[in-house]
Amino acid sequence: YHPALPSGPGREPALAGLLRQRYHEEVCAARQMTGRHSAGDACLSQLFRDLSRDETRHARQLMALLEQNILAF
């Protein structure tokens, strides 16, 4: 099954738009977690560092998918 993706001059394919949106969400989440590293509790600080690292990894994966999607069109 391959759903039709709207494309054409001036129109971004639907998948690319969704990937771009998710990328920005992951980047924002990583920034929020980074800002919380300064929590007074050492365990919480480590948790926020781990979460920030995970969000950054997710953003990189989404960017790779977005680049592949753009190159396919």
Side-chain angles (χ1 to χ4, degrees):
Y1 171 73
H2 297 286
L5 298 175
S7 61
R11 291 204 54 184
E12 181 176 52
L15 180 58
L18 293 172
L19 288 172
R20 189 179 312 279
Q21 178 183 350
R22 288 296 303 144
Y23 170 78
H24 287 292
E25 290 171 3
E26 295 292 335
V27 168
C28 288
R31 287 182 184 153
Q32 289 176 352
M33 295 300 141
T34 300
R36 294 186 174 137
H37 284 191
S38 60
D41 186 300
C43 291
L44 279 177
S45 292
Q46 183 61 46
L47 175 65
F48 287 132
R49 273 193 296 276
D50 292 345
L51 290 172
S52 177
R53 187 174 32 250
D54 288 345
E55 298 302 328
T56 300
R57 183 174 44 84
H58 297 156
R60 286 185 189 134
Q61 291 169 334
L62 287 164
M63 181 56 74
L65 289 172
L66 184 57
E67 288 170 352
Q68 290 173 7
N69 186 269
I70 288 172
L71 293 176
F73 290 96

